[in-house]
Structure formats: structure tokens, C-alpha cells
């Protein structure tokens, strides 16, 4: 094993020996930054369409109606315990009838698995790919809280948190922050392409697009 390792490393060193000190080649950036021209409303519609295509449940609301909508979603789910990260606006959960669970570092995977639902905000959402991005900012919590509980409700502010494309998203994100990219609920397929949801993340993802 040791001999094989040394052989491989020697080959790597030999292959890279002549490139030491060579400037990195410039990466071409002539690709399309966005596919088509859309109004903010059209971008939100495309985001909703692509989220639904990934089997996320999409809801719409204005700021005034958000607390009542969230209360209804958690009541219909039968949520008894709700994980709420620091920085989440208190008004969002004012009407929710469920015990609050804080996002704390001491929580184990077993603790988080016992939580019925988790509610978060997001950093942004990408319309063309139907992707929600979290970066552990205020109201988003630790990465693991959106990977272990079975039910995740994510609120996206429209239009300020919606971008059209991945290049636009990358320009707005801080690469030093921990990022979680979510396109629909957790899903995988076996060799016969039978889809199974909830294997390595929430089985149910609900996204609320909030205007105003």
C-alpha cells in the first residue's frame, strides 16, 4: 500500500514539476449570465414553477398574511415542535401553535430528528434552477437543522431575494460562509429509477414566496 502511494505521488510531482511558477490561465467568462429577459414577477413565477417541478410545495403570501399562512401550514402538518433559528422575525411565528425549539450547538442528530418541523429564511433563491440557498445568516440557523428534520418550511422574500441565474447568485454570495443549496425535498433513485424521498434530508420542503 505504501509503495503504491509513493508511486502515485511521484507521478503527480513529475506531472506538475514543469508548471511551477506558471500563471494560472484566464477562465473565459463569455457565457450567458441569464437566459432571457424577465420582470421580477416573471422571475418569481419561474422560481415557483421550477420548485414545483422538484416536488416542493409552493405557497404565496404578502407580509401581512404570512403569520396566518404559516400557522395553517404547521397545523395541517400536525406540528407540535418547531425549530426556530436565531434572527427569525418573531412575527412570522406569532400565530403558530407549537412548542419552539431553539437552534443550539449542543443539539444532537437524535434531538433534531425528533423535531416535527423547521422554519427558516434564506440567503437567496435562483429562478432558473428552482434552488434555495442558505448561508447560515440571520433566521437560517446551522446547516444541519435543514438536513435532519423531516419537514422544512423556507420563506423567500420577493423580489429582493430572487435572482434569475447561477452567475447572479454567485456574485451575491459570500464564499467564506457555509452554504446549503436546496432544489426540492431530499430525493434519490435506485438502479431501477424508483424515486425515494427523505433519505438524506427533509422529505417535505415547503417554500413560501412573500411579497411586500
Amino acid at each position: 500500500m505504501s509503495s503504491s502511494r509513493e508511486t502515485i505521488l511521484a507521478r503527480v510531482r513529475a506531472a506538475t514539476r514543469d508548471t511551477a511558477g506558471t500563471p494560472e490561465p484566464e477562465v473565459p467568462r463569455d457565457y450567458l449570465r441569464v437566459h432571457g429577459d424577465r420582470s421580477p414577477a416573471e422571475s418569481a413565477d419561474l422560481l415557483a414553477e421550477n420548485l414545483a417541478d422538484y416536488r416542493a410545495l409552493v405557497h404565496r403570501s404578502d407580509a401581512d398574511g404570512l403569520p396566518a399562512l404559516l400557522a395553517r401550514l404547521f397545523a395541517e402538518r400536525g406540528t407540535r415542535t418547531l425549530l426556530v433559528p436565531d434572527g427569525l422575525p418573531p412575527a412570522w411565528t406569532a400565530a403558530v401553535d407549537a412548542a419552539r425549539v431553539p437552534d443550539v450547538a449542543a443539539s444532537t442528530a437524535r434531538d433534531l430528528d425528533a423535531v416535527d418541523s423547521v422554519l427558516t429564511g434564506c440567503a437567496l433563491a435562483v429562478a432558473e434552477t428552482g434552488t434555495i440557498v442558505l448561508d447560515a445568516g440571520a433566521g437560517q440557523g446551522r446547516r444541519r437543522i435543514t438536513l435532519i428534520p423531516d419537514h422544512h418550511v423556507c420563506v423567500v422574500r420577493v423580489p429582493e431575494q430572487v435572482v434569475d441565474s447561477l452567475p447572479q447568485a454567485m456574485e451575491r454570495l459570500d464564499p467564506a460562509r457555509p452554504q446549503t443549496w436546496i432544489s426540492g425535498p431530499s430525493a434519490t433513485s435506485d438502479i431501477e429509477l424508483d424515486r425515494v424521498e427523505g433519505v438524506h434530508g427533509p422529505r417535505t420542503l415547503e417554500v413560501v414566496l412573500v411579497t411586500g
Side-chain angles (χ1 to χ4, degrees):
M1 181 68 71
S2 177
S3 177
S4 297
R5 178 177 181 274
E6 291 303 321
T7 298
I8 292 171
L9 292 176
R11 289 175 180 173
V12 171
R13 283 191 290 268
T16 59
R17 184 177 298 120
D18 294 336
T19 63
T22 302
E24 293 185 4
E26 183 176 348
V27 178
R29 305 289 184 183
D30 54 353
Y31 47 76
L32 289 177
R33 283 178 40 80
V34 64
H35 298 83
D37 295 325
R38 285 180 288 271
S39 67
E42 290 171 334
S43 295
D45 289 342
L46 180 61
L47 173 64
E49 177 183 341
N50 286 329
L51 282 167
D53 191 50
Y54 279 121
R55 300 193 188 183
L57 304 176
V58 182
H59 311 275
R60 302 224 190 199
S61 176
D62 58 20
D64 292 336
L66 180 60
L69 173 60
L70 292 175
R72 177 174 64 81
L73 295 181
F74 291 122
E76 291 175 349
R77 177 79 182 186
T79 297
R80 295 166 298 176
T81 54
L82 176 64
L83 200 160
V84 179
D86 291 339
L88 198 79
W92 288 8
T93 57
V96 175
D97 184 18
R100 309 300 194 268
V101 178
D103 175 21
V104 296
S107 295
T108 65
R110 184 182 296 273
D111 295 332
L112 295 175
D113 188 50
V115 172
D116 292 325
S117 303
V118 57
L119 172 64
T120 73
C122 70
L124 53 81
V126 186
E128 290 183 351
T129 61
T131 303
I132 305 296
V133 185
L134 283 72
D135 66 359
Q140 299 173 53
R142 294 171 174 81
R143 183 173 187 266
R144 60 185 180 169
I145 72 170
T146 58
L147 298 179
I148 300 177
D150 201 47
H151 179 224
H152 178 198
V153 177
C154 183
V155 176
V156 180
R157 298 194 308 273
V158 178
E160 58 264 36
Q161 287 188 318
V162 179
V163 297
D164 281 306
S165 65
L166 292 175
Q168 292 176 347
M170 298 303 295
E171 290 174 353
R172 288 179 50 172
L173 293 169
D174 182 352
R177 297 189 65 83
Q179 297 175 12
T180 304
W181 294 61
I182 304 170
S183 297
S186 164
T188 188
S189 296
D190 62 17
I191 195 171
E192 295 180 350
L193 300 182
D194 291 327
R195 181 182 173 99
V196 179
E197 296 180 353
V199 175
H200 44 71
R203 185 174 285 104
T204 303
L205 171 65
E206 303 199 55
V207 179
V208 182
L209 306 182
V210 178
T211 57

